[in-house]
Amino acid sequence: MAKKTVPYKIYLSEDEMPKVWYNLKAAMNKQHPPFLNPATLQPCTADDLRPVFCDDCIEQELNCKDLLIEIPEEIRGFYKMYRPSPLVRAYCLEKALGTPAEIYYKFEGNNTSGSHKLNSAAAQAYYAKKQGLKSITTETGAGQWGTALSMAAAYFGLDLTVYMVKVSSEQKPYRKEVMRTYGATVIPSPSDTTAAGRKILAEFPGTGGSLGCAISEAVEKAVTSDSCRYVLGSVLDHVVLHQSVIGQECKIAMEKYGIEPDIIIGCCGGGSNFGGLIAPFMGDKIAGKNNIDFIGVEPASCPSMTRGRYAYDFCDSAKTTPLAKMYTLGCGFMPSANHAGGLRYHGMSPIVSELYHDGYMRAVAVEQSKVFEAAEYFARTEGILPAPESSHAIRTAIDEALKCKETGEKKTILFGLTGTGYFDLSAYKAYNDGTMADTIPTDADLAKGFASIPDIPQNK
Amino acid sequence: MAKKTVPYKIYLSEDEMPKVWYNLKAAMNKQHPPFLNPATLQPCTADDLRPVFCDDCIEQELNCKDLLIEIPEEIRGFYKMYRPSPLVRAYCLEKALGTPAEIYYKFEGNNTSGSHKLNSAAAQAYYAKKQGLKSITTETGAGQWGTALSMAAAYFGLDLTVYMVKVSSEQKPYRKEVMRTYGATVIPSPSDTTAAGRKILAEFPGTGGSLGCAISEAVEKAVTSDSCRYVLGSVLDHVVLHQSVIGQECKIAMEKYGIEPDIIIGCCGGGSNFGGLIAPFMGDKIAGKNNIDFIGVEPASCPSMTRGRYAYDFCDSAKTTPLAKMYTLGCGFMPSANHAGGLRYHGMSPIVSELYHDGYMRAVAVEQSKVFEAAEYFARTEGILPAPESSHAIRTAIDEALKCKETGEKKTILFGLTGTGYFDLSAYKAYNDGTMADTIPTDADLAKGFASIPDIPQNK
């Protein structure tokens, strides 16, 4: 298709918005190994998952056949409140860099939750409502996911209980207020509302909590009630599916203007945003229709793909979840306390892991001082204060654009800008003050993490 | 024009974006009385203002003739980074209210500064650059204006010094970090960098500062340097002019879909957002082309139009500025410390004041508990956490929509949603905790404020 003049921002019209999610698994030649029940080491069945997750989400989790899955009209109605998100041509950044490359980014931060998380929160809340449930529950660390879910729960009329890591709820009291404004009940974790919480409190009376503990409390609340289910914001296949709305919008917008990306870049924590961004483009690559260079960017402080192992591991640090085959640093791995850039998850989405393992994409790890340098540069040239997570993708996009400047190549680069930096200003403060250190784990640090990977036959 | 189906969000294309600002003064039958030099009580000339403001801004300030003023291409380039802002059809709010009214809002919060302030920051920074200046300076209280200006200064390559009220810079350290990320120098005020600051520090060593003091420091910095000018974010006519980009976009979008507003509502602090929103619609009303009901909404805690006097008064509490003829509570008036809803300015834009005085619009005052109730309702139904300031307009829009529900009238309501509530979560916390009180000044409180209005012949 002939290329048209591209505006600063491409917004799809409502008619052009995607009506289907792209189920990347159905396009893959090889499926990731199934989740395992940690007690039996047998593949998890839908029945295993039913006390925890909503039925429709389980069906999507296990669906490897249907390439396109309809987005229910109710969810599309919710999406219309804050989508389409703009696909931005980074004219100002290109000019500042003096690169012949064309740079585009898909900005997911223009909604009150501040990130892409809302795409799956909306879907999961809807399916809970559809199933006739009264309430949902989840955990949150920094609060981004909890905020997104509180917005979705308010919209669909569900009660929501968020277990928020206690130290976060104390350090980020305002995140809690957003959730409360949307009607969520926010409980600092560990709490005395669950057996798991009471046990931790008895053992460690002064603890500030952990994500693992908050997950345990939320899952307990879900499995001990018929009318409540647990909702997760990343890693799982159905979350990647919901996030494919990002890639679907990108593809429609780019085709409309005849833009063909050479490189697609996304930051990788749990992998759902990256998986969603690349989904339809990767499906085409697997079918031999393009040769896009897909780059997942992770922090050098938490390098699950570039330095991790491909093994079965727990999804949580408390070792309560099913085992997933994924790139992992070990469920006991903790990034250095100096690490301020987010993307702290020890593992990686099984879908993204399989793609990486099979050579369909590459991964790079970047140091946080370089990430914040890119964030500041981007803020000043493009006018958006990016989330530290998203700034990993910015860093790599700038690096690729500068390579083009050297070689004179006019590549087309697309990256995902997943969120805003409004709620990460303590990290920006450290950068502005010059007190931010790079924190790369030593081989000994990694070995300690690897020791927490379960020693099961499947990992031999 | 026939009415088309209206999407949730109307985005103008780049080609449709306005190329001119609307100079409302040129459409008015009667001009507001001129600013007066407080020493001579004579009208301020351009030469009086030249040491303080940029030349182009002064020209615009005094221009009552040209109805349409071209937006320079460089400013339109900046606007393209974050504009057009969406004109949103509040389908979800209408449904929740069960009103036959159609409700629209123009959302100015989708940019990193979080508000409409950026529209004038961009223009004023550009004009400073065009004049060959090296630096600009301003004051900021809560930090919204300082953030907007730091973004504009970074884009146009100007040094920026922001005098931030000391107590705010301590209570809102993260606002300061956004400005620092954009390269601004943020100085807690009072400071030892100016004679005005040193004088205050000597008199009141432990003071947390005030906006009046911060203004004095910034103006001093400007007038003592040939290459620096002072920049103001509201009240003045040229700021209203720049903010007319809001109304221009609204008018183009509404005409495109055949939408004719019956009521236009905006919150009023200094009046620049309201003046900008209504500009082209009010021009048509003055010319007899429509009969729109314009409503300016102010806090009951700071009711400059509904309970103030129309008089010459200082624009700042430190009594250093020219005198403006405006609705005022007296430059010495301070809203109660319990007031959390913003819009704390003692006066009102001279343009808006004149329109109000001449009967072209009405004003209502709303109590903050009702404002936050509307804010929460709006957040839950429309998915956007609104700024407390903007929520004054939401309150009145909901009230008008509920009147339509009673009468069955199908009115079309437009209101300005000027910003997001991300940085006002302490106020939301007070509301969520149930500790928010309404604070309506008594007649005695008002009399105390009125006593600070200068006793000059023009006020007899």
Side-chain angles (χ1 to χ4, degrees):
Chain A
M1 188 202 265
K3 195 153 172 184
K4 300 180 204 167
T5 303
V6 177
Y8 275 58
K9 282 175 270 142
I10 305 173
Y11 283 106
L12 299 180
S13 72
E14 271 182 22
D15 294 342
E16 294 168 325
M17 283 174 69
K19 294 182 178 58
V20 288
W21 288 305
Y22 190 96
N23 185 17
L24 182 50
K25 285 195 290 184
M28 289 167 70
N29 297 321
K30 196 176 149 206
Q31 296 304 316
H32 67 75
F35 288 95
L36 299 182
N37 181 321
T40 64
L41 298 186
Q42 294 302 305
C44 283
T45 64
D47 284 340
D48 288 339
L49 301 171
R50 224 174 289 283
V52 182
F53 297 107
C54 296
D55 295 349
D56 281 288
C57 293
I58 295 168
E59 196 186 313
Q60 292 174 348
E61 186 67 27
L62 301 175
N63 186 336
C64 307
K65 285 187 192 159
D66 302 313
L67 184 66
L68 303 176
I69 294 180
E70 197 192 336
I71 306 173
E73 194 171 335
E74 293 82 352
I75 298 173
R76 282 190 281 138
F78 188 95
Y79 281 174
K80 281 181 193 168
M81 289 203 308
Y82 72 99
R83 306 198 69 82
S85 70
L87 176 68
V88 185
R89 171 78 184 266
Y91 281 116
C92 299
L93 180 62
E94 290 171 19
K95 192 177 159 195
L97 293 171
T99 177
E102 288 185 8
I103 309 174
Y104 296 84
Y105 57 92
K106 181 73 168 166
F107 182 40
E108 293 289 315
N110 263 357
N111 68 71
T112 283
S113 78
S115 83
H116 67 288
K117 297 270 182 190
L118 198 50
N119 299 327
S120 186
Q124 296 193 62
Y126 165 72
Y127 288 123
K129 184 73 180 177
K130 184 186 159 205
Q131 195 174 327
L133 301 172
K134 295 268 181 296
S135 63
I136 49 179
T137 182
T138 196
E139 80 290 338
T140 201
Q144 211 166 37
W145 167 244
T147 305
L149 197 60
S150 68
M151 292 173 67
Y155 182 86
F156 288 111
L158 291 162
D159 286 337
L160 168 65
T161 304
V162 179
Y163 292 91
M164 186 172 189
V165 177
K166 194 179 202 170
V167 61
S168 292
S169 84
E170 286 162 1
Q171 285 172 357
K172 302 199 173 190
Y174 291 159
R175 265 289 185 185
K176 189 168 63 186
E177 294 311 320
V178 183
M179 294 184 255
R180 287 178 75 197
T181 299
Y182 279 93
T185 302
V186 182
I187 300 179
S189 168
S191 76
D192 61 4
T193 67
T194 65
R198 287 188 293 271
K199 183 161 171 260
I200 300 268
L201 283 174
E203 275 179 57
F204 309 98
T207 179
S210 70
L211 213 49
C213 169
I215 292 176
S216 304
E217 290 205 271
V219 171
E220 180 181 329
K221 185 175 170 70
V223 299
T224 54
S225 161
D226 278 348
S227 62
C228 181
R229 291 292 183 282
Y230 170 72
V231 173
L232 191 69
S234 190
V235 184
L236 296 176
D237 295 0
H238 66 276
V239 182
V240 175
L241 175 71
H242 304 151
Q243 294 298 352
S244 74
V245 70
I246 305 172
Q248 293 282 81
E249 280 186 6
C250 274
K251 196 149 186 283
I252 295 167
M254 295 188 112
E255 285 175 356
K256 192 172 160 185
Y257 284 88
I259 305 159
E260 294 179 356
D262 299 301
I263 305 175
I264 300 183
I265 300 165
C267 61
C268 288
S272 68
N273 124 71
F274 180 74
L277 171 67
I278 66 171
F281 299 98
M282 179 61 88
D284 280 358
K285 180 172 183 171
I286 293 169
K289 291 186 199 161
N290 71 44
N291 193 27
I292 294 171
D293 181 14
F294 295 96
I295 311 176
V297 190
E298 55 187 18
S301 320
C302 193
S304 57
M305 287 186 284
T306 51
R307 297 177 70 195
R309 291 196 182 153
Y310 192 44
Y312 267 109
D313 197 5
F314 290 98
C315 299
D316 68 329
S317 53
K319 301 194 177 191
T320 61
T321 67
L323 299 171
K325 183 74 183 273
M326 59 183 175
Y327 278 85
T328 180
L329 296 164
C331 62
F333 178 83
M334 287 282 283
S336 158
N338 289 329
H339 174 62
L343 310 172
R344 306 172 65 88
Y345 190 59
H346 66 275
M348 182 53 57
S349 142
I351 293 176
V352 173
S353 292
E354 185 68 46
L355 290 167
Y356 179 57
H357 193 65
D358 296 343
Y360 286 106
M361 57 170 282
R362 54 191 179 107
V364 300
V366 290
E367 295 167 26
Q368 70 176 354
S369 58
K370 292 285 183 187
V371 166
F372 278 84
E373 183 190 73
E376 182 190 270
Y377 191 82
F378 183 82
R380 292 185 187 185
T381 50
E382 285 288 318
I384 295 172
L385 185 78
E389 291 84 350
S390 323
S391 304
H392 288 73
I394 296 173
R395 172 76 269 165
T396 300
I398 289 176
D399 290 344
E400 292 295 327
L402 290 175
K403 277 186 211 163
C404 288
K405 188 178 178 177
E406 269 182 36
T407 62
E409 284 176 290
K410 197 175 149 60
K411 288 189 180 174
T412 297
I413 300 169
L414 166 66
F415 71 89
L417 188 71
T418 53
T420 69
Y422 294 140
F423 293 100
D424 301 284
L425 288 165
S426 57
Y428 274 97
K429 182 175 189 325
Y431 180 72
N432 290 335
D433 288 344
T435 60
M436 177 173 280
D438 286 326
T439 53
I440 300 173
T442 62
D443 288 343
D445 294 333
L446 292 187
K448 216 169 139 189
F450 292 147
S452 64
I453 296 175
D455 184 23
I456 59 173
Q458 285 85 344
N459 280 343
K460 301 296 175 196
Chain B
M1 187 203 267
K3 194 154 170 183
K4 299 179 204 167
T5 303
V6 177
Y8 276 59
K9 281 174 270 145
I10 305 173
Y11 282 106
L12 299 180
S13 70
E14 272 182 21
D15 293 343
E16 294 168 327
M17 284 173 69
K19 294 183 178 57
V20 289
W21 288 306
Y22 191 97
N23 184 19
L24 182 50
K25 283 195 291 184
M28 289 167 69
N29 296 321
K30 195 176 150 207
Q31 297 304 316
H32 66 75
F35 288 95
L36 299 182
N37 180 322
T40 64
L41 298 185
Q42 295 302 304
C44 282
T45 63
D47 284 339
D48 288 338
L49 301 171
R50 223 174 289 284
V52 182
F53 298 107
C54 297
D55 294 350
D56 281 288
C57 293
I58 296 168
E59 195 187 312
Q60 292 173 348
E61 187 66 29
L62 301 175
N63 186 336
C64 306
K65 284 187 191 159
D66 302 312
L67 183 66
L68 303 176
I69 294 181
E70 196 192 336
I71 307 174
E73 194 172 336
E74 292 82 352
I75 298 173
R76 283 192 280 138
F78 188 95
Y79 281 173
K80 280 181 193 168
M81 290 204 307
Y82 72 99
R83 306 198 70 83
S85 70
L87 177 68
V88 186
R89 171 77 184 268
Y91 281 115
C92 299
L93 180 63
E94 289 171 17
K95 192 177 159 195
L97 293 171
T99 177
E102 288 185 10
I103 308 175
Y104 296 84
Y105 56 91
K106 181 73 167 167
F107 181 41
E108 293 288 315
N110 264 356
N111 68 69
T112 282
S113 78
S115 83
H116 67 288
K117 296 271 182 188
L118 199 49
N119 299 329
S120 185
Q124 296 193 61
Y126 165 72
Y127 288 124
K129 184 74 180 176
K130 184 185 159 207
Q131 195 174 326
L133 301 172
K134 295 269 180 297
S135 63
I136 49 180
T137 182
T138 196
E139 79 290 338
T140 200
Q144 212 166 39
W145 166 243
T147 305
L149 197 59
S150 68
M151 293 173 66
Y155 182 85
F156 287 110
L158 291 161
D159 286 338
L160 168 65
T161 303
V162 179
Y163 290 91
M164 186 171 190
V165 176
K166 193 179 202 168
V167 63
S168 292
S169 84
E170 284 161 3
Q171 285 172 357
K172 303 200 173 190
Y174 291 159
R175 266 291 187 186
K176 189 168 61 184
E177 293 310 322
V178 183
M179 293 185 256
R180 286 179 74 197
T181 299
Y182 279 93
T185 302
V186 183
I187 299 178
S189 167
S191 76
D192 61 4
T193 66
T194 64
R198 287 188 294 270
K199 181 159 174 261
I200 300 267
L201 283 174
E203 276 180 56
F204 310 98
T207 179
S210 70
L211 213 49
C213 170
I215 291 176
S216 304
E217 290 206 272
V219 171
E220 179 181 329
K221 184 175 169 69
V223 300
T224 54
S225 161
D226 278 348
S227 62
C228 181
R229 291 294 182 282
Y230 170 73
V231 173
L232 191 70
S234 190
V235 184
L236 296 177
D237 295 0
H238 66 276
V239 182
V240 175
L241 174 71
H242 304 152
Q243 294 298 352
S244 74
V245 70
I246 304 172
Q248 292 282 82
E249 280 186 6
C250 274
K251 197 150 187 279
I252 295 167
M254 296 187 112
E255 285 175 356
K256 191 172 162 184
Y257 283 88
I259 306 159
E260 293 179 358
D262 299 302
I263 304 175
I264 299 184
I265 301 165
C267 61
C268 289
S272 68
N273 125 73
F274 179 75
L277 171 67
I278 67 171
F281 300 98
M282 178 60 89
D284 281 359
K285 179 171 183 172
I286 293 168
K289 292 185 197 162
N290 71 45
N291 194 27
I292 295 172
D293 182 14
F294 294 96
I295 311 176
V297 190
E298 56 187 18
S301 319
C302 192
S304 56
M305 287 186 286
T306 51
R307 297 177 71 195
R309 290 195 183 153
Y310 192 43
Y312 266 109
D313 196 5
F314 290 97
C315 299
D316 68 330
S317 54
K319 302 194 176 190
T320 61
T321 66
L323 300 170
K325 183 74 182 274
M326 58 183 176
Y327 278 86
T328 180
L329 297 163
C331 61
F333 178 83
M334 286 283 282
S336 157
N338 289 331
H339 175 62
L343 311 172
R344 307 172 65 88
Y345 190 60
H346 67 275
M348 182 53 57
S349 141
I351 292 176
V352 173
S353 292
E354 184 68 47
L355 291 167
Y356 180 57
H357 193 66
D358 296 343
Y360 286 106
M361 56 170 282
R362 56 193 179 105
V364 300
V366 291
E367 294 166 27
Q368 69 176 356
S369 58
K370 293 282 184 191
V371 166
F372 278 84
E373 183 189 74
E376 181 189 271
Y377 190 82
F378 183 81
R380 292 186 186 185
T381 51
E382 285 288 319
I384 295 172
L385 184 79
E389 291 85 347
S390 323
S391 303
H392 288 73
I394 297 173
R395 172 77 266 165
T396 299
I398 289 176
D399 290 344
E400 292 294 327
L402 290 175
K403 277 186 211 163
C404 287
K405 188 178 179 176
E406 269 182 35
T407 63
E409 284 175 290
K410 198 175 150 58
K411 288 189 180 173
T412 297
I413 300 170
L414 165 66
F415 71 88
L417 188 70
T418 52
T420 70
Y422 294 142
F423 293 101
D424 301 284
L425 287 164
S426 58
Y428 274 96
K429 183 175 188 327
Y431 181 72
N432 290 335
D433 288 344
T435 59
M436 178 173 278
D438 285 327
T439 52
I440 301 174
T442 62
D443 288 342
D445 294 332
L446 292 187
K448 215 169 139 189
F450 292 146
S452 64
I453 296 175
D455 185 23
I456 58 172
Q458 286 84 345
N459 280 343
K460 301 297 176 195

